[in-house]
Structures are given as structure tokens and as C-alpha cells.
Amino acid sequence: MAANLQQRLESIRSKASLLTERYVDLLEEKRAAEAKIAQLQSTLQHQQQEIDRLRQQNEQLRVVTTLSPKREDVERSRAFLSQLVRDIDKCIAELTE
């Protein structure tokens, strides 16, 4: 009977030791997971700030390109001004004759 009790007590001790080891392992895993979560949240925050900055930059570029003239408009304006200069030169030539 005492041997049976001794065996049960030893079984309980080994199970308690195993549970303690598992608890410590899980606690370490939990701490590592919490550190990883904190790191990922920090990364997410930095990426969100970068996204906001890029969106703002994109909006500014959109406004700038909307306000700046298009290449074909510039070419048309140059052609128009060149024609005006030729017409003025003709008028000056006719006045000097």
C-alpha cells in the first residue's frame, strides 16, 4: 500500500513538473508573441504614415499636373505667337516702305 502511494505521489510530482515546464514554455512563447505583435504594430504604424505621405504627395502631383499646361497647348501657343510675330514683321516692313 505504501509502495502504491509512493508511486502515485511520484506520478503526481512528475506530472506537476511537466505542467510547470509546459507553463514556462507557453509563457515564453506568449512573451515572444507579444513582442512580435508590438513590432508588427510599430511597422504597421510606420507604413500607414508612409501611405498617408504618399497619398498627400500624389494629390499634390495631381493638382500640379492639372494646373500645368499640356505639351500640345504649349506648342499651339508657340505657333500662334510665331504667327503673330511674322504678321507684326510684315506690318513693320509695309510701314517702312
Side-chain angles (χ1 to χ4, degrees):
M1 182 93 171
N4 191 15
L5 238 71
Q6 189 66 29
Q7 286 176 346
R8 281 188 168 185
L9 185 58
E10 190 58 39
S11 174
I12 290 173
R13 280 186 188 153
S14 66
K15 287 180 181 178
S17 176
L18 182 64
L19 282 174
T20 303
E21 288 175 19
R22 286 185 182 174
Y23 172 78
V24 169
D25 290 343
L26 287 174
L27 192 59
E28 288 175 13
E29 287 179 27
K30 179 184 178 240
R31 288 182 182 147
E34 287 173 342
K36 183 72 173 179
I37 288 170
Q39 184 250 340
L40 289 173
Q41 285 175 336
S42 175
T43 301
L44 178 65
Q45 183 180 11
H46 289 298
Q47 288 178 342
Q48 189 62 44
Q49 289 171 348
E50 181 70 9
I51 287 171
D52 291 341
R53 185 186 68 77
L54 289 172
R55 280 187 180 152
Q56 186 178 27
Q57 186 179 8
N58 189 19
E59 183 62 29
Q60 290 170 351
L61 287 172
R62 188 175 299 135
V63 168
V64 167
T65 55
T66 301
L67 295 177
S68 66
K70 294 182 175 135
R71 182 175 175 85
E72 57 192 33
D73 292 339
V74 170
E75 290 174 7
R76 257 188 271 139
S77 296
R78 283 184 183 164
F80 179 73
L81 289 173
S82 295
Q83 184 62 41
L84 284 177
V85 168
R86 276 181 273 187
D87 290 345
I88 290 171
D89 286 342
K90 285 180 188 177
C91 289
I92 291 172
E94 287 180 9
L95 289 173
T96 55
E97 292 177 359

